[in-house]
């Protein structure tokens, strides 16, 4: 298993607008290619301008294949253009993680 942990930070006061834009134009197309995320969470304490989502892949090849299909989808390209134009995002951090031996993911 490969976990893609993504943390995004928005401009102060813009997270609701960004998530609304993503909900309307990005989420469905992303799920169509990547499957359901393991988690999609907004920060409640600390940096309240950030959110995290986690996608699960079989391995690096599965991730590469699914992400290539996503990047080739015109609906995703449209969402990325809308997001860039809106300018709500400040930063993105991605971590590819693997489970430790004692962890048994829920099936």
């Amino acid at each position: 298993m490969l976990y893609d942990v993504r943390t995004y930070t928005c401009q102060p006061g813009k997270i609701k607008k960004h998530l609304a834009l993503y909900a309307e134009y990005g989420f469905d197309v992303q799920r169509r290619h990547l499957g359901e995320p393991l988690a999609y969470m907004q920060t409640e304490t600390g940096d309240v301008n950030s959110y995290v989502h986690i996608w699960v892949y079989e391995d690096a090849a599965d991730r590469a294949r699914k992400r290539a299909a996503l990047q080739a989808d015109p609906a995703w390209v449209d969402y990325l253009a809308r997001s860039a134009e809106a300018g709500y995002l400040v930063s993105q951090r991605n971590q590819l993680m693997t489970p430790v031996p004692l962890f048994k993911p829920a099936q």
Side-chain angles (χ1 to χ4, degrees):
M1 303 289 283
L2 182 66
Y3 294 83
D4 188 352
V5 180
R6 294 173 167 251
T7 303
Y8 294 83
T9 302
C10 295
Q11 292 181 31
K14 302 294 184 182
I15 193 166
K16 287 182 181 180
K17 288 183 177 184
H18 171 72
L19 289 175
L21 180 72
Y22 176 68
E24 184 172 352
Y25 297 102
F27 191 47
D28 287 340
V29 67
Q30 198 168 29
R31 290 185 314 162
R32 198 166 48 241
H33 292 284
L34 306 183
E36 293 296 324
L38 176 68
Y40 215 103
M41 303 169 286
Q42 184 174 345
T43 305
E44 187 171 320
T45 61
D47 183 358
V48 296
N49 298 303
S50 66
Y51 65 97
V52 174
H53 47 103
I54 304 171
W55 302 88
V56 181
Y57 303 98
E58 293 174 23
D59 52 30
D62 180 45
R63 178 181 180 273
R65 182 177 59 256
K66 288 178 177 178
R67 291 206 49 86
L70 174 65
Q71 297 299 326
D73 190 316
W76 183 248
V77 173
D78 176 62
Y79 163 70
L80 292 178
R82 290 173 186 272
S83 179
E85 183 177 319
Y88 300 140
L89 287 176
V90 173
S91 67
Q92 173 183 344
R93 179 177 179 219
N94 293 24
Q95 293 177 286
L96 297 180
M97 304 181 81
T98 57
V100 297
L102 62 91
F103 177 69
K104 304 297 182 221
Q107 298 295 329

